[in-house]
Amino acid sequence: MSSPVLPGSSRSLYRDLLAQASAGSAAMLSRALAQARQSMRDEATRAQGLLARDHLALSVKLLDAHASQLCMRYPQALDDAFRRHDAPESRLGVVATQGLRLDQLELMDESQVHERVETARAIQHMLLISESALTEFNTYVCALQGHKQVTASRNPLRPDAYVAALQEVMDEIGLPLRVRTAWVQHVSGALGAALNAEYASWVAQLRGQGVQPAVFSVRRTAETSTPQHVTASRGARAPWSPQHRQTVLTLDRLRRLMAGELAAEPCDPKEAFARQFAQEFEVSSDQPPVDTGFEATVPAALEALQDMQQVDHLVSRMAQRPGFTLAPKGVPNAELPVREQLMRQAQAQGMAQVLSLEVVALMVDNLVQDSRLLLPIRDLISRLEPALLRLVLVDARFFSDRQHPARRLLQEIAQKGLAFGSVDDAHFNVFLVALQRFVSPLASMQIDSAEPFELALKSLTTEWSQAAARTDVSSQMDTAVAALEFAESRNLLADKMVAGMQSMAELQQVPQSLLDFLFGPWAQVMACAQLNDQSHADDPGGYKALVHTLLWSAQPELTRKNIDKLTRLVPRLLPTLRAGLRLIDYPATKTSVFFDVLMQLHQQAFRPVQAKPATQERPDLAASLLGDQAHWVAPAEAKASGFMDLPDDFAGPQEPVAVEKSAALLEMAAPGYGELGALSVGTWIELLTNDIWSRTQLSWISPQRTMYLFTSVQGKTQSMTQRMLERLHGSGRLRVLSEQSMVDGALDAVVQTAMLNSLDLRVV
């Protein structure tokens, strides 16, 4: 049995694994391209339409011409993809959707959407082929990276990395879009099978090298879990079946809605079918007959018929959806007639109206099902749906304009609602009453413009601004920010001074405890004096010059030779040290520890030389000087900003719970349990302090991202260093609730649904 590998060996094995994958990628791609070439030839023989056969023939011809060039460039492109391994996760049902947002979709054209869908479909195909081997391989890759639990996104050798590398090479060669799409479609099966074999081989290799796999963890986060937008079972039907490919909400239709290109498309099933039938089958009598490839057009006609069924299904589903409120079953829904009326009106006006209502309905569903918001807030958002449905029938800017009054209103409700984790939280009742006063009336209004939403938004923001002014939150924030900005500047300057001191020869002759003092508190003293000095002196306070004196006095073998000099220096040395430490308000308890050590060093000058120095080093002294923080914060700064120290009972990251490997497919994307990433101002988090979870919002990040300031709904500030943030997150004491706008996230989830409809592959 192989011995477990050490951390250093793990890093080496990890680098070797990436190099091995890159080195073998050219041969793997060559074999996959050969199979893709044969697949395209076989499809060409089955193709009925002339255009389809010509397109496949051109794709094969270009593949023959560029295959060697593709294989030659592929390893470098794959190396680049490995370095970008922090890209969105490639999990079943989420692939190629998380990276696509609604505002990005607006900027894409039809060909780009088509390429995005086909790429996502290819990755899905590869994932299905390699699923079992990849699941186990993830455990070993995460272990090599030093992680105790598995997160699929940490593995840079995922199938989407291989597809991304292939696309990068194809872009460099300058191939036509349709050819690139055809290659990706036909190479995905072979590449997926090759990766499946590679994953299994690498697992056996790493197991033989003694690598202990990481374990999967399941965390119960019911109070903060995000809604599951994908619910259909993968096993219910075969993927990409023709009878399910076309749905009402697809990525292309959503793009056309955003671009205003759906306005002319009829929604009436008969009219829509008549138009498509005419386009596919009818030929003008004054034109010569042409080869229509009748067999190839039959699927298009069937899709048109299916479109009719899908529209009818959508209208029926919208009319029969549950009530707007979260009331118990059996309570009549007074808004149902309004929804039926809106759907009839939309069906008569065109697909754009129907799709607009569907997008709003899905967006509201996503918000209402999101348990990060308290039930009363979700109930109010649900009751706001009729007004939003009426609005998008007359104002489609809601989707494209983030500053639209209705969108901003919904955003303010959702984002500020994240401040409350319980209905018993302070100020929640005041918040809810304001919503009921200014927002609830919108549900019963006849909406013909955005003006009612603008008025409600203005009333709400005015109410909140007045409340904030009464609690003086702004002044507290300004004080905290000023304190933390100075702390960061002082710490950065202290780091530079430490770098300058490290070249001093005397450092080799003094005990470690003295170095800890010089590189810790005294560097802070020198930096603080320089920042406070307005005269631009080279050494304000003489604190830099004191370093050489202190180093000499701490070397008994030197001070014994010049007792008189030591006697003259000590009366001036000690007061200057104490004055400097008072400058940064250094705690007296920690100061006394250092002075005890220094006095012992001085006393040795008056004693005979001993074989072993009498000074007893304090192994805990370094930790006592600056504490457990990478950046030191003075007591006054800590008080002004609510600076957080690690709790006394902090025990580091919690051990994950081992579960069966199949749980990888259920790996949660709940906030706070993935990678921490780069947080942005406005992010809401939950903190566990004194066994109580509390919510607070990231209000400020220091220029160098070393300090973070959070503010609760009560106006209480809390600050911490980057290291503290990472350690709390790693231990499970900090959870990220929302890194983006709630409304943007709900709309982006609609894009994900449209993508999955386009892929025609829904999984749990």
Side-chain angles (χ1 to χ4, degrees), residues 472-493:
D472 200 23
V473 173
S474 178
S475 176
Q476 295 177 33
M477 277 281 298
D478 292 343
T479 302
V481 167
L484 293 175
E485 283 180 337
F486 186 83
E488 180 178 66
S489 299
R490 186 188 61 249
N491 277 280
L492 293 175
L493 183 56

Side-chain angles (χ1 to χ4, degrees), residues 363-364 366-368 370-374 377-378 380-381 384 406-420 428 431 435 439 457 460 464 682 684 695 697 737-738 740-746:
M363 176 199 69
V364 172
N366 292 332
L367 290 171
V368 169
D370 196 324
S371 59
R372 290 174 294 178
L373 296 173
L374 293 177
I377 300 174
R378 288 184 279 149
L380 185 138
I381 292 175
L384 191 59
R407 188 159 167 178
R408 286 181 57 204
L409 176 64
L410 194 60
Q411 173 64 21
E412 289 291 333
I413 295 171
Q415 288 303 113
K416 290 191 181 296
L418 284 174
F420 307 100
F428 175 69
F431 174 76
L435 294 184
V439 178
L457 176 63
L460 265 183
W464 290 335
W684 282 93
R695 295 189 176 189
Q697 187 177 35
L737 281 174
S738 175
Q740 69 169 148
S741 152
M742 294 282 287
V743 174
D744 288 349

